[in-house]
Amino acid sequence: QVQPVESGGGLVQAGGSMRLSCAVSGGTLRYYHMGWFRQAPGKEREFVAAVSWSAGSTYYADSVKGRFTISRDNTKNTVYLQMNSLNPEDTAVYLCNADLPSILGRPGPYWGQGTQVTVSS
């Protein structure tokens, strides 16, 4: 069973940076497109970013483009989300997702538990 596990969330001030990590167990990361999604209170889950299995392609939601960077290290079975210039609208539970059908925003079947990111103004 493929299991993503997120880490790195917490509290940060507006304008600050944070890096999330997603370690994947139970599968070989290099076979999967990987992605990050987020869900804010009272809102639907939304796509944030995705990276292809080879790391040759990435795709971002317009709301984070230019501020967030997704990357992966297949040797460590880990995916990262570097978040810069954070603002309070980025506050959400961030969820790692594995085995996306493509990098264009539809999720795959494997979800992590999520990590809370809170941005204070």
Side-chain angles (χ1 to χ4, degrees):
Q1 179 72 16
V2 176
Q3 182 61 60
V5 178
E6 304 92 340
S7 61
L11 176 65
V12 64
Q13 288 190 330
S17 298
M18 182 177 288
R19 189 176 83 156
L20 304 181
S21 299
C22 172
V24 177
S25 62
T28 304
L29 187 71
R30 67 176 182 269
Y31 296 142
Y32 305 128
H33 298 322
M34 296 293 297
W36 287 93
F37 292 73
R38 66 186 181 186
Q39 187 164 19
K43 295 187 177 181
E44 293 189 355
R45 186 178 296 173
E46 64 173 358
F47 169 77
V48 175
V51 59
S52 64
W53 66 269
S54 66
S57 299
T58 56
Y59 186 69
Y60 297 92
D62 287 343
S63 59
V64 306
K65 201 173 296 181
R67 301 188 298 123
F68 290 13
T69 302
I70 188 171
S71 61
R72 63 192 296 159
D73 185 340
N74 289 343
T75 66
K76 296 182 179 179
N77 255 25
T78 302
V79 179
Y80 305 97
L81 185 68
Q82 177 67 43
M83 306 184 292
N84 299 328
S85 301
L86 285 160
N87 59 62
E89 290 70 38
D90 295 315
T91 295
V93 174
Y94 283 71
L95 301 115
C96 182
N97 183 250
D99 199 16
L100 282 67
S102 77
I103 66 169
L104 298 181
R106 287 177 55 211
Y110 306 111
W111 292 96
Q113 299 274 24
T115 186
Q116 176 70 47
V117 173
T118 302
V119 184
S120 63
S121 57

